[in-house]
């Protein structure tokens, strides 16, 4: 049983990682002296698999437990779903001391967190992540929110959970593609700051879901959660720029997701491709050695993630999307690029620049063109 | 020109109060080094009166200014209005460094603050209050939000403004009834903590809008904003209980508003009646002298606020509403009661208790019955 602290003064909390932790959810919550009422928020798939166990554990710890089941899928990560949570929060009389438990992946986690941030100006939320991505990333750090019809995650709030309860056992039922997506974020932590984690991933013969043994899984979960916790502790509200290192692979990744309308590749797959691209940009800028970039790509490949861009992708659209990224202010943005395994640098993105030490659109296009699948070139 | 600080570490901000301040809105914002883009949020009445001046002042300070006009009235204080703000925020490309300016009363202020709290997980908001209530109360303290179809202010967030810009001149166009409503909150500050302000109100021959001279108005605005700022500084998120003193007159006031479906009396009128009732409860509990309660009532009367309950009001419903108040936990709540002019105590509310030192339903009913208008008794 591992317990990792996210140190944020009066907003501090623990990430508890242990096999069988779902059964101890009630105990964990009890220890925090949360109010009597708890509402579990989930979707039909996850609630069907784990809802009963979570509810039973909470009831056994004498909580008054209700639940709210939202429709499944990113397309329901909307204000309308948040209103469903509000309606049930009202019906069940949730008070300021009450708690929402997010039982699910990042979609459920983000929505439950946002509802908790905004119901009665803030009630407790406990995250119980059930996807690898949620365990290593989205459940930690307090970013919550929903999508606007015209853009992802535009509506939201920072609202730290009171606790994160991770039980690796629930990953047994996770679809392989979702597992793979989570592995992209794990590899990211290795590249941006945890050389030891990267070495461990490199030594494994396979990083596929069916091949990973419990011990490696435990290392992955603990190291990744620790990496995220450290960054969040130092930059709770994305102000110092440190938290931006977590965007490694994400700038191009997001543009790929957007250009393929979020249906061809999922987030993790896009981030993996984004890391491959960022690695090659770093090599072109002479920040990184080709040999280390190659080691990164090999680990990505071992996780069964593709290194190529989706075929038929429109490179001009990717570049247009990059420029309209909400993080690109006044036409200028930044790229997080590796300068070693476990090290990054922040490099200016100036779309039309011809300087040799910044990321420009021609450079991005040149790198991406080389990443088109053979058949499409 | 007065400048009052709300001291909240990195969330600190100034409340600037000065005649002609609206013309200096741009300068004030510029001094804060806010980002280039500013969107003014208002309603047709207020924007018609002051929109042009506010926009011109911002443009003159070189901001890129857009506006969002929401329908007027508390019934539009909804998530649907917030979505209108989001849509325009997106259309005008607001970024994390951008600013929403709330130009209006508490309704516009609460909604604009909530939109700012939740767009891109938090952008800047500057409050430009145009009602007396907003100047002395709602623009200060960072409580933001909207109504749920089944309850007021259930959806919201704490999000401090970057600045409050008050120009007393705009009160010239405020309907008399709205002015009166704001005076109820001013009197509240006197009773709960500012004896000097109370004395000043007591010495005035009239507290009606048409009779108040600029100097008294200035005292009122400065003292009230200071009173609110002090409480907010010490209890930003309503956790220590100190901020609860601001609820003086509000517990019964809210129940009256709710029992009359928010159409018979407005918030300030209900708070005035609530203070009269709380004063009498305090006298009944021997916390307060009848003479001081009488002085409070005389000041309320001088502001042209009624001391009586609305006729035909259902006292049972008031009591039922009190018990379902979101602040009443596990059937128990508290009342803020005066124990002197400038002094309060927090007294337990136990609906069915027969103890002599707590507020109970029979005591409340007894006091309220005596406050029914003559014709209705
Ligand atoms: N808040 C943050 O910091 C942050 C960080 C990264 C991503 N996100 C967000 O997270 C979301 C993606 O999260 P995700 O990848 O977890 O996807 P997801 O929540 O959509 O879950 C993926 C699928 O797996 C199913 N599922 C979940 N757990 C399962 C289990 N144990 N067994 C079987 N099926 C299971 C879900 O029902 C869903 O269909 C995106 O909306 C993204 O914006 C947020
Ligand atoms: N956030 C807080 O801490 C807090 C505190 C108290 C009240 N509130 C909220 O404030 C709201 C009430 O605010 P309010 O009393 O200011 O009402 P309001 O915002 O509805 O304004 C009252 C009316 O006056 C008009 N008006 C405003 N300024 C004017 C001017 N200068 N000239 C002419 N007309 C003008 C408005 O258009 C409106 O019709 C409620 O929703 C309440 O919940 C919030
Ligand atoms: Zn990611
Ligand atoms: Zn009030």
């Amino acid at each position: 049983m591992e317990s990792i602290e996210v140190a944020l003064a009066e907003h501090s909390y623990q990430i508890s990682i242990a096999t069988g932790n779902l059964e101890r959810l009630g105990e964990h919550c009890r220890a925090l002296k949360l109010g009597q009422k708890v509402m579990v928020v989930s979707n039909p798939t996850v609630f069907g698999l784990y809802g009963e166990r979570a509810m039973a554990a909470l009831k056994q710890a004498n909580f008054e437990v209700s639940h709210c089941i939202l429709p499944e899928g990113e397309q329901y990560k909307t204000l309308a779903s948040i209103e469903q949570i509000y309606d049930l929060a009202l019906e069940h009389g949730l008070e300021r001391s009450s708690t929402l438990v997010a039982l699910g992946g990042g979609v459920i986690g983000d929505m439950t967190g946002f509802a908790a941030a905004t119901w009665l100006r803030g009630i407790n939320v406990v995250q119980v992540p059930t996807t690898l991505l949620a365990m290593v990333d989205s459940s930690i750090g307090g970013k919550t929110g929903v999508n606007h019809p015209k853009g992802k995650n535009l509506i939201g709030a920072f609202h730290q959970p009171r606790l994160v309860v991770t039980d690796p056992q629930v990953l047994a039922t996770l679809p392989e593609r979702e597992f793979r997506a989570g592995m992209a974020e794990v590899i990211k932590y290795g590249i941006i700051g945890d050389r030891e984690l990267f070495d461990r991933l490199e030594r494994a013969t396979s990083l596929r879901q069916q091949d990973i043994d419990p011990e490696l899984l435990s290392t992955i979960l603990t190291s990744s959660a620790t990496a995220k916790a450290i960054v969040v502790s130092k930059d709770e509200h994305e102000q110092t720029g440190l938290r931006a290192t977590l965007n490694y692979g994400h700038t191009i990744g997001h543009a790929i997701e957007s250009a393929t309308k979020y249906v061809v590749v999922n987030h993790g797959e896009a981030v993996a491709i984004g890391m491959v691209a960022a690695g090659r940009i770093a090599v072109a800028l002479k920040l990184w050695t080709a040999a280390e970039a190659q080691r990164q790509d090999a680990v990505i490949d071992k996780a069964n993630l593709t290194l190529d861009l989706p075929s038929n992708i429109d490179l001009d659209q990717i570049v247009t999307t990059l420029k309209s990224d909400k993080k690109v202010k006044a036409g200028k943005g930044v790229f997080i690029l590796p300068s070693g395994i476990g090290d990054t640098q922040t490099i200016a993105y100036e779309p039309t620049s011809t300087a040799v030490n910044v990321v420009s659109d021609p450079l991005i296009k040149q790198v991406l063109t080389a990443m088109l699948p053979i058949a499409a070139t």
Side-chain angles (χ1 to χ4, degrees), chain A residues 98-113:
Chain A
S98 303
T99 305
L100 297 183
V101 169
L103 179 69
V107 169
I108 287 294
D110 280 10
M111 291 199 289
T112 309

Side-chain angles (χ1 to χ4, degrees), chain A residues 133 137 185 188 250 267 271:
Chain A
L133 179 121
D137 188 358
E185 307 283 355
K188 177 188 79 175
H250 281 62
H267 176 72
V271 167

Side-chain angles (χ1 to χ4, degrees), chain A residues 168-181:
Chain A
Q169 277 185 322
V170 304
L171 295 179
T173 54
L174 190 68
E176 197 271 333
R177 193 174 172 190
E178 299 296 341
F179 188 86
R180 228 190 294 161

Side-chain angles (χ1 to χ4, degrees), chain A residues 43 45-46 49-50 72-74 77 104-110 130-134 137-144 147 152-153 170-175 178 181 185 228 243 250 267:
Chain A
N43 73 24
T45 300
V46 179
L49 288 164
Y50 305 108
E72 180 162 355
E74 178 81 30
K77 193 173 144 182
V107 169
I108 287 294
D110 280 10
T130 65
T131 64
L132 180 55
L133 179 121
D137 188 358
S138 62
S139 67
I140 306 160
K143 274 202 201 179
T144 72
N147 301 326
K152 279 200 61 174
N153 296 323
V170 304
L171 295 179
T173 54
L174 190 68
E178 299 296 341
E185 307 283 355
K228 176 100 189 228
R243 197 156 170 170
H250 281 62
H267 176 72

Side-chain angles (χ1 to χ4, degrees), chain A residues 44-110:
Chain A
T45 300
V46 179
F47 197 78
L49 288 164
Y50 305 108
E52 215 164 290
R53 278 156 68 187
M55 303 271 292
L58 288 162
K59 281 179 192 156
Q60 216 167 2
N62 282 317
F63 287 103
E64 204 178 302
V65 193
S66 56
H67 61 275
C68 169
I69 308 300
L70 299 174
E72 180 162 355
E74 178 81 30
Q75 71 272 34
Y76 293 103
K77 193 173 144 182
T78 59
L79 273 185
S81 293
I82 300 298
E83 293 192 74
Q84 288 190 42
I85 304 181
Y86 291 154
D87 290 348
L88 286 173
L90 186 88
E91 190 177 316
H92 295 294
L94 297 204
E95 299 162 352
R96 285 235 181 139
S97 63
S98 303
T99 305
L100 297 183
V101 169
L103 179 69
V107 169
I108 287 294
D110 280 10

